[in-house]
Amino acid sequence: MYKEMKKLMMVLSVFALSLMAQAQDEVLQKYTEMGDVNTAYVSKRMLSEMPAKALDVPGLSGITDKIEHMKVLVSRGDKAGKQMGTKLPKQLESAGFKTVVNTVEGGQNIQVLQSKKDPTLVVVIVYAKPQATVVSMKGDFSDWLPGLGK
C-alpha cells in the first residue's frame, strides 16, 4: 500500500509540473501568434553551438551550460513590445511566477521571473521601449542569481 501511495504521489507531482509548464506556454503562446513577434526555440545542443552574445540578453552568457532549452520571443513592432514589456510580467505572476529581479540597466528594464512551484522554469523580460525580448528557459538556475532555486 505504501509503494502504491508513493507511486501515485510521484505521478501527481509529474502531472502538476507539466501543468505549470503548460500554463507558462499558454501565456507566451498568444505573443508568439502576434504578427510582429519573432519566435525561436533553442535546444541545449543548438545553444552550445551559438555564442550567447548573439541573443543580446544581459546575464545569459554566464549560464548557457545550465539551460536545457529555451524559447526566445523578440518583438518587431511597438504594440507587441509594449505588451510584452508591461502586461506579460503580470500575466506570468497570475500563472504562478514571482519576480526575483527587477532592475534597469543601460536603459533596459530587465525582469526575471521564476515559477513558484518549479524553480527550473525562468522567464527573462528585457524591455527597452518600444522593443522587448522574452527568454523562457528551463534549467538549473540555483546558483545564477541569489534566491533562485530556493
Side-chain angles (χ1 to χ4, degrees):
M1 174 108 175
Y2 175 74
K3 286 183 181 182
E4 291 172 357
M5 287 297 289
K6 190 174 179 180
K7 188 175 183 179
L8 177 64
M9 292 303 291
M10 182 185 271
V11 169
L12 290 175
S13 296
V14 168
F15 180 70
L17 289 174
S18 68
L19 285 178
M20 285 182 287
Q22 183 179 357
Q24 173 189 1
D25 285 341
E26 285 178 15
V27 171
L28 294 176
Q29 183 62 34
K30 77 179 203 176
Y31 293 97
T32 64
E33 294 171 357
M34 294 179 94
D36 53 354
V37 174
N38 288 339
T39 305
Y41 176 84
V42 183
S43 68
K44 187 169 192 74
R45 182 175 162 262
M46 291 168 60
L47 190 59
S48 70
E49 295 174 359
M50 97 178 170
K53 290 182 180 183
L55 295 173
D56 195 28
V57 176
L60 197 60
S61 62
I63 62 161
T64 54
D65 60 327
K66 300 181 178 304
I67 299 171
E68 291 177 28
H69 59 80
M70 65 184 185
K71 184 185 290 187
V72 181
L73 290 75
V74 179
S75 69
R76 292 185 321 227
D78 297 353
K79 181 180 178 184
K82 182 176 181 180
Q83 287 182 5
M84 288 165 57
T86 59
K87 293 182 179 181
L88 181 57
K90 294 172 188 149
Q91 293 167 339
L92 287 168
E93 286 174 349
S94 294
F97 282 71
K98 65 180 176 182
T99 298
V100 292
V101 173
N102 193 0
T103 188
V104 176
E105 183 179 303
Q108 298 177 323
N109 183 21
I110 302 166
Q111 198 164 0
V112 179
L113 297 101
Q114 180 184 35
S115 172
K116 294 177 186 176
K117 295 181 181 173
D118 183 0
T120 66
L121 300 175
V122 172
V123 178
V124 178
I125 302 170
V126 180
Y127 181 46
K129 292 180 185 179
Q131 305 299 312
T133 300
V134 176
V135 181
S136 171
M137 305 178 281
K138 179 168 179 61
D140 176 13
F141 306 109
S142 56
D143 59 352
W144 178 39
L145 293 170
L148 283 179
K150 295 179 181 167

